[in-house]
Amino acid sequence: MRIAMLQDRASVPSIFSEKALARLASFGEVVRNEGAPTDENVKKTIAGADIAITSWGNTTLHREILDCAPGLRLIVHAAGSIKPIVCDEVWERGIRVTGSPKPLGMGVAETALGFTISASKNYYNLNANLHANGPWHEGYDNIRELYDLTVGVIGGGWAGGHYLELMQNFGVETLLYDPYCSEEKAARLHTTLASFEEVLRRSDIISIHAPNIPETYHMFNAETLGWMKKDAVLINTARGAIVDEHALYEHMAAGNLKYACLDVFDPEPMEADNPLRTLPNVILTPHLAGLAQNGKLRIGMHAADEIEKFLSGRPMDCEATKEMLAKMA
């Protein structure tokens, strides 16, 4: 068994702990890319491999690269979307593919939970008030516990699903909009499927976890934002293009939501003159959801988990097929 790690060698320690690397070595011979993930280096590293591991910085594993590993059986993408990595040739050769949406989704969901609690508790306004030497309880009447509220979730994939699981720790009702989600899966997530409009109209907090696909482009716009409660909280840790930022600015400038908490933007990095920067009721973070710093080590351990399942003939958690690409991030 030959496992080829194709990512930039310098990036390996940030994703694979020594424990994860030891697990990989227990499966077979591990060969690492000696430099940057150029085609030349990738071809050399993947030669004769049974399993290839890719990550951020890797480009498409095209025909010429795949020809160097005629026995390749599995690609494990230890990063975000698999779309930049795979091509039709991968599927035509019967190579199986798995990614990292499960560990990444955990980080995204936990970031969204942080926004959920802090916005409900009105941390941001209270913090600004105390820094400005304002009255001790200024804004205190705008605090809400996560109790007897309705939380709406847009997208029930790995991130949305984990967020829904986290919500089970609180006394809230949850609604899910996901046209690809079955009633059976919704029941496992202890949530209720609803239309997009119903979720927006009923929810006190809305957390976006949808993929960036044509169907979700600017699904939050001037009309749909108007369906939300004026004191609702909007959280976006998914993709910036899902929200029409111009419409959101107009909506927030008019004081129509309690907070909009944004971790993603369109484009990124966020433009210096983006007017959302000027609004105190818009909370901004620089795309830190997912996994950052030590959290990335979850990805390496997950990659080892997926390889172990593949080798033992068990279903992998995050296996992707060509048919799934159209509805994936």
Side-chain angles (χ1 to χ4, degrees), residues 142-164:
N142 204 14
I143 291 173
R144 288 196 292 189
E145 301 285 347
L146 291 184
Y147 175 74
D148 200 26
L149 300 179
T150 299
V151 178
V153 180
I154 310 300
W158 284 107
H162 188 51
Y163 179 80
L164 283 164

Side-chain angles (χ1 to χ4, degrees), residues 264-315:
V264 288
F265 308 92
D266 185 26
E268 290 187 351
M270 189 182 193
E271 295 172 325
D273 60 351
N274 189 319
L276 291 171
R277 291 177 181 266
T278 68
L279 299 179
N281 56 351
V282 178
I283 309 306
L284 309 172
T285 54
H287 202 148
L288 58 81
L291 298 176
Q293 307 304 338
N294 65 314
K296 290 182 181 178
L297 296 175
R298 283 182 182 171
I299 297 174
M301 194 59 71
H302 170 76
D305 289 341
E306 292 288 80
I307 292 173
E308 183 175 6
K309 289 174 182 176
F310 170 78
L311 294 175
S312 64
R314 290 178 289 156

